[in-house]
Structure formats: C-alpha cells, structure tokens
Amino acid sequence: AQTIYKQWFVDFEFPDENGKPYKSNGGKMVWCEELEKEIPEGWEVSSIGTYSKVKSGFAFKSDWWQSQGIPVIKIGSISNNTIDNNALDFIDSNKFENAKNYTVKRGDIVIAMTGATIGKIGIVPNLGKYTLVNQRVGMFNLGEKPLNKVPFLYLVLLDDIVQKEISNVGGDSAQANISNSQIENIKIVLPKEKNINDFNLLLESTFDLILNKIEENQKLEDLKELLLGRMVRVEN
C-alpha cells in the first residue's frame, strides 16, 4: 500500500487515461509556488480537513473506568498503527448515552493529540458493538463506510512530511499538544477526486485484509493466554 501511494502521489506515476504512468508518459505538470516544485495539472495544495474533519474524544470521568464493558480507546491504546486490545479501558453500558457521539467503527482512524507520542495513528479493528474514544484522541470522520476512504488518509498521515508538521505544530516533548483544527489545517497535496477514488478502490480490499489479520492475531493472543492459564493450572 505504501509503495503504491509513493508511486501515485509522490512520484506522480498514477495511471493516466490510457492506464500508463502519468508523469513519465507526458502527463502535464504545472509549477506550484507554495511547494516550489511541479505537480500534476488539476492537483492543488489543500489541507487534511478538506478530506476529513477530526474531533477530540469524550472527557470521561475517572470514576467511570472499570475492567469490562464498552471499550474506550485512550492514547496508550494506539500501538503499531492500530489498537492494542490489552490497553483499552472500559465503561459500563449505562454510561454510553453520555458519550454516544464519540464512537468509532471498524476501519476508522484515531490519532494521538497530546504527549510524547503525538501524531501516532491507529486504524480501528472490530472491538465490539460499540467503541468509544477518550479525550485527546482525535477521531477522523470517514462516514458510514470508512474503508471507502481510509487508504488515502491512512497513508497521508503516515507520510514523514505530515508527521514532522504535526511535531512542529504540537511540539515534541511530553507536553506536546495539537488541536483538531491544527490537524485539519496541515497542508497536503490534494489530487483530483478521481485519482483519490481510484486509489481507495484499488486498496480497499487490502485494508480489509489488514483489519482481518489484526483481528485474527488478537484472537490468537487471547487463545494463547487461555491455554497458558490452563497449562499453569494443570501443572499446579
């Protein structure tokens, strides 16, 4: 996925109308003053917010936390560009109504908005019927079917230039902090809508497979813990 992203949106070798690499087959390039380089005709310098809005999660009360219930993603839950099931917190279902506007679905993306790991992102696997997001974790609005839009945004957010800009805006210390509007205002090269749609369509099945593997790995981890626990009891 990252290789195709670089080919299309960094090297500008996305398929032209004849299915051939755009730039190396004479695709028209125009000079961009802001970037001080050429970009494909019809592309523009825009912002992340043009593609997807982002908002911070819900401010849960400290006495709501418990060991089971509805899962809540915290900054510490974001690991290896996904969500670590073992680092989730939970609230009782009777508190759900208070935070129902801060739910994420399978395929959504969350981002750390504060702390030393500011800018780290995670694609959300299936964590249950409902999954909530804690404050200072940003949640991107990808609509009812996130997989239709997630490939482009996921790889944009992992781009070194974008990650550096997040650090520049928010700072790189333990007190680092970035707002949802600052994330939305980060500049990116925005391709034509057709190029983005073609890219997302091409990689939608790949990201579905990624999520399947994440979910499968978690089931295997759970099974391993269960088996190890039984082995210990047998030995005792």
Side-chain angles (χ1 to χ4, degrees):
Q2 288 178 314
T3 299
I4 297 171
Y5 174 83
K6 181 178 183 297
Q7 180 184 31
W8 283 37
F9 303 124
V10 178
D11 300 333
F12 308 130
E13 296 289 19
F14 54 91
D16 64 13
E17 62 272 13
N18 299 313
K20 296 181 178 180
Y22 181 84
K23 186 176 180 181
S24 58
N25 282 274
K28 187 172 182 181
M29 305 289 290
V30 295
W31 182 255
C32 175
E33 290 289 348
E34 191 167 349
L35 299 177
E36 296 185 341
K37 67 176 185 180
E38 289 186 326
I39 61 174
E41 185 179 41
W43 292 27
E44 61 180 339
V45 176
S46 188
S47 63
I48 289 175
T50 302
Y51 187 75
S52 174
K53 300 300 182 182
V54 60
K55 69 176 181 178
S56 183
F58 184 74
F60 293 92
K61 296 179 180 179
S62 59
D63 60 357
W64 287 9
W65 301 126
Q66 55 186 46
S67 59
Q68 58 184 2
I70 296 176
V72 179
I73 296 172
K74 291 184 171 182
I75 288 177
S77 312
I78 306 172
S79 177
N80 295 321
N81 299 328
T82 185
I83 306 303
D84 180 359
N85 281 30
N86 297 319
L88 293 169
D89 276 295
F90 301 86
I91 63 165
D92 191 276
S93 58
N94 63 16
K95 301 289 198 304
F96 174 73
E97 192 66 23
N98 296 278
K100 65 180 182 180
N101 293 327
Y102 299 86
T103 59
V104 285
K105 300 178 291 297
R106 183 180 188 270
D108 274 327
I109 296 179
V110 293
I111 184 170
M113 299 175 67
T114 191
T117 57
I118 187 173
K120 68 176 179 176
I121 69 166
I123 187 169
V124 180
N126 183 12
L127 298 172
K129 184 177 181 181
Y130 299 110
T131 302
L132 297 166
V133 176
N134 194 35
Q135 62 183 338
R136 306 313 304 150
V137 174
M139 43 195 291
F140 289 88
N141 181 7
L142 295 175
E144 290 302 313
K145 297 181 178 180
L147 282 175
N148 292 349
K149 294 186 67 176
V150 75
F152 179 73
L153 179 63
Y154 180 88
L155 293 163
V156 163
L157 292 171
L158 286 181
D159 189 285
D160 288 342
I161 294 174
V162 172
Q163 283 291 312
K164 287 178 182 176
E165 184 60 21
I166 291 173
S167 293
N168 289 339
V169 174
D172 56 3
S173 68
Q175 288 75 42
N177 190 63
I178 192 168
S179 69
N180 55 338
S181 61
Q182 287 174 320
I183 293 174
E184 290 176 356
N185 288 332
I186 289 175
K187 298 295 184 183
I188 60 170
V189 176
L190 193 67
K192 289 181 178 179
E193 185 176 357
K194 181 184 185 306
N195 300 135
I196 297 176
N197 291 341
D198 288 348
F199 180 78
N200 286 335
L201 183 62
L202 177 66
L203 288 175
E204 181 178 343
S205 61
T206 299
F207 277 79
D208 186 41
L209 178 62
I210 289 170
L211 287 167
N212 285 338
K213 294 299 183 184
I214 290 170
E215 292 156 3
E216 182 179 313
N217 285 344
Q218 185 58 50
K219 289 178 181 177
L220 290 171
E221 285 288 335
D222 294 342
L223 180 60
K224 181 185 74 173
E225 293 301 320
L226 177 63
L227 290 173
L228 287 174
R230 289 183 177 178
M231 288 171 64
V232 169
R233 287 196 294 272
V234 169
E235 288 177 359
N236 290 338

